[in-house]
Amino acid sequence: MARVFVRLKLRLLRNGFSSSPGTAVLYGLGTLLAVGGGILMAVLLASTVGGADKAGAVLPLVVFAFIWLIWIVGPLLNSSQGDQSIDPSRLELLPLSHSVQVRGLLVAGLVGPAAVGTFIGALGAALATDLTVPARVGAVLCAVLLVLMCVAWSRALAAAFAGALNSRRGRDLTVALSGLIGIVIYFASQRLGSEMSNLSATRSSGGYDLLAVLPPAALGRALGALKSGEWLLAAGLMVWGAVGIVLALYVWRWALARRLDGAGGGGKTKEAAVPVGTSVLFPPWVRWLPRTPMGATAAKEMHYYLFRSTLQLQQLVLGTVFALLFAGRSLFGSDPGPMADYLGALVLFVVLFQSAPNVFGIDNATTSTYLLTGVKMSEVLAGKLVALLLIGLPLGVILQLVATGVHGHWSQLPLGLVAVPLPWLVWLGLGSQLSVRAAFPVAPGRRQNSGAALVATFGGLLIGGVLVLALLAAAAGVSEAVGSQWAGLATAWVLAALVGVLGLRNAAAVQERDPTVLLAKLGGDRA
């Protein structure tokens, strides 16, 4: 029966390649990437496991756990069966037991570039020098167990969370998680490189042996035990790895049974209980906002940004990822620079760079709703920008704390935290100007946006960059002249506040003079 599953998967692959040549190209590139990565990992393990320092025992342990994590996360972030693995939902109507499905899908999962690349990489430990024949056989067995464990856990969790991942909220969540996981992987790889150099100069494992509680890490630790001749320890660790595979198969079987039998059925529709007197404009989690048009606008924008718009979440995640990658080397360098000391401000600037210049663009023609209510459009504009501050400020503060914990310059933390809101003050003025004078709809409909509006927006973004550079230059000059970083930071605050207040007041005056001009820019007649 397993052979039938393999043939079915190969048939799905051929059908996909014949219907879309681009799919074949992407699959070929993925195969090259997986096999090439496996070869590099094999060379790394072969050279490290054969060494005499502790890095040779710790590296396989960490690498095996890292690979297992990637196998788990990948399908959760791509629930569309991009590798042409057999979708369990296609088998629900066939007279196959859950055990048969698990065995067949497991074997089919082993046929693919990811599994081949993983096996090639894990097999590198068996090629290390100074290993006895029994140790090499044990290393091969560890490689086989690792591949089986990765495939089993990957498919089991994908089947268990299939319903949630295919929902709208699940797709939004994967957008956020993909960026955050990319950041974690990048920082972990940077940290691992520095840790391996430290372990090479010491005989201590640095507490990494505690990772052996994870079955994949236990297989990596077993390689060190095999090299040192600790046969009982190696056997016990490999048994623990096999237990991890059995547990994955059990979870997988339960997930398939749950899909077939029905996870929830047609349960009763539960009405949300809303207390009498609760305002629909202010959800409970933002009820602390002032009961004003500005507060109501901020509450609406925050709810839409965090719970309704995938595009806005993408901007938040991509801005954070870009800032962290831009400052990554500064974080892990021997002498962290300003990028690391003021990472929170950099993150907030990049996030606002995407959203603040066109705060009305996401509303499009529905901006007329604000006009019909009779509120001052200046308060609506301020509320939208306040919402961006309330969303981005906690993110900037958290990442500033994390960055300080990484590079260890705690004396710079107060300066970094005080500097976090500065980009918002700049975008308060510049963003309000662009949102009023160069507004354009995010979804233009049949009529495309004019080139003049786009040129004006890009010009405004360029001006924003120049303003920030000028502000930084002035702050650095004052700091150098006075001999105090706090004096430079105070100068930056004063200049940024002037830009923000004057820009907002001017934009509000323009808007109050004729609010219908904004509606015309956004395309009230667009479809």
Side-chain angles (χ1 to χ4, degrees):
M1 182 58 69
R3 186 178 64 177
V4 175
F5 280 83
V6 173
R7 292 175 59 189
L8 176 58
K9 178 174 180 178
L10 295 177
R11 171 60 66 180
L12 291 173
L13 283 171
R14 286 195 295 269
N15 292 342
F17 296 160
S18 60
S19 61
S20 175
T23 301
V25 173
L26 292 177
Y27 194 84
L29 292 176
T31 301
L32 292 176
L33 180 63
V35 175
I39 293 174
L40 291 177
M41 188 178 77
V43 173
L44 178 64
L45 290 178
S47 60
T48 308
V49 172
D53 49 47
K54 273 293 181 180
V58 172
L59 184 64
L61 181 147
V62 177
V63 168
F64 279 21
F66 196 63
I67 292 173
W68 176 69
L69 180 63
I70 293 176
W71 266 91
I72 288 178
V73 170
L76 295 181
L77 298 182
N78 180 21
S79 59
S80 61
Q81 300 294 328
D83 64 345
Q84 293 300 320
S85 296
I86 302 171
D87 188 352
S89 62
R90 303 181 183 183
L91 309 175
E92 291 178 353
L93 300 180
L94 299 179
L96 299 175
S97 66
H98 305 316
S99 300
V100 172
Q101 290 188 41
V102 167
R103 289 195 299 269
L105 292 172
L106 177 62
V107 175
L110 296 173
V111 180
V116 172
T118 302
F119 181 70
I120 292 174
L123 200 60
L127 305 177
T129 58
D130 298 333
L131 286 184
T132 62
V133 174
R136 294 185 191 278
V137 174
V140 174
L141 180 59
C142 287
V144 173
L145 291 175
L146 177 67
V147 176
L148 289 173
M149 184 184 305
C150 289
V151 174
W153 275 109
S154 172
R155 301 302 187 263
L157 294 181
F161 293 102
L165 294 174
N166 289 328
S167 65
R168 167 66 185 274
R169 185 48 48 196
R171 291 193 297 270
D172 292 346
L173 184 61
T174 57
V175 170
L177 288 180
S178 58
L180 297 178
I181 290 170
I183 294 173
V184 172
I185 291 175
Y186 173 76
F187 282 158
S189 62
Q190 294 288 327
R191 195 70 176 180
L192 181 60
S194 60
E195 286 293 324
M196 288 301 106
S197 61
N198 294 333
L199 291 171
S200 299
T202 181
R203 306 298 298 179
S204 172
S205 61
Y208 280 94
D209 285 342
L210 295 176
L211 281 175
V213 298
L214 298 175
L219 295 176
R221 178 65 182 86
L223 295 176
L226 289 170
K227 179 188 175 183
S228 59
E230 300 174 276
W231 305 111
L232 289 179
L233 176 60
L237 292 170
M238 285 190 284
V239 169
W240 179 237
V243 170
I245 297 175
V246 173
L247 181 61
L249 296 178
Y250 176 80
V251 173
W252 195 355
R253 187 180 184 280
W254 168 82
L256 293 178
R258 183 171 179 266
R259 287 172 61 94
L260 183 60
D261 299 337
K268 295 180 179 179
T269 302
K270 193 173 182 180
E271 296 182 0
V274 179
V276 177
T278 298
S279 172
V280 295
L281 295 177
F282 295 88
W285 60 280
V286 290
R287 61 176 178 268
W288 47 271
L289 288 171
R291 296 304 198 263
T292 61
M294 184 186 72
T297 304
K300 185 211 47 117
E301 289 293 307
M302 292 176 67
H303 181 75
Y304 180 78
Y305 199 115
L306 297 176
F307 301 106
R308 295 292 183 185
S309 174
T310 303
L311 174 63
Q312 300 288 61
L313 278 179
Q314 286 176 341
Q315 292 178 349
L316 186 67
V317 172
L318 291 178
T320 304
V321 171
F322 174 81
L324 289 176
L325 294 179
F326 188 70
R329 291 194 177 276
S330 178
L331 277 175
F332 293 97
S334 57
D335 185 20
M339 290 293 181
D341 294 334
Y342 298 99
L343 179 64
L346 175 63
V347 169
L348 186 59
F349 176 83
V350 178
V351 170
L352 295 177
F353 182 85
Q354 303 171 87
S355 303
N358 190 30
V359 294
F360 290 107
I362 200 70
D363 294 319
N364 289 8
T366 57
T367 304
S368 59
T369 304
Y370 298 122
L371 302 178
L372 294 175
T373 59
V375 301
K376 291 184 177 181
M377 291 298 291
S378 58
E379 293 194 55
V380 175
L381 175 62
K384 285 177 172 288
L385 292 167
V386 167
L388 294 178
L389 173 66
L390 296 176
I391 293 170
L393 184 62
L395 178 64
V397 170
I398 292 172
L399 291 177
Q400 185 61 59
L401 292 171
V402 172
T404 305
V406 171
H407 62 65
H409 288 187
W410 293 101
S411 60
Q412 295 292 112
L413 180 60
L415 288 166
L417 292 178
V418 172
V420 171
L422 283 174
W424 179 78
L425 288 173
V426 175
W427 284 114
L428 177 65
L430 183 61
S432 58
Q433 288 286 321
L434 291 174
S435 296
V436 172
R437 298 178 182 272
F440 62 91
V442 175
R446 291 192 300 266
R447 289 173 51 190
Q448 296 301 312
N449 292 317
S450 65
L454 298 179
V455 170
T457 301
F458 285 119
L461 295 176
L462 180 61
I463 293 174
V466 173
L467 277 176
V468 171
L469 290 178
L471 186 148
L472 292 176
V478 172
S479 178
E480 186 70 21
V482 179
S484 170
Q485 289 182 309
W486 284 105
L489 189 58
T491 303
W493 263 93
V494 171
L495 295 177
L498 287 175
V499 172
V501 172
L502 295 179
L504 178 62
R505 292 186 62 179
N506 179 263
V510 172
Q511 203 173 27
E512 292 293 340
R513 193 178 303 126
D514 187 1
T516 60
V517 174
L518 176 64
L519 182 60
K521 291 179 180 294
L522 295 173
D525 59 343
R526 297 176 191 257

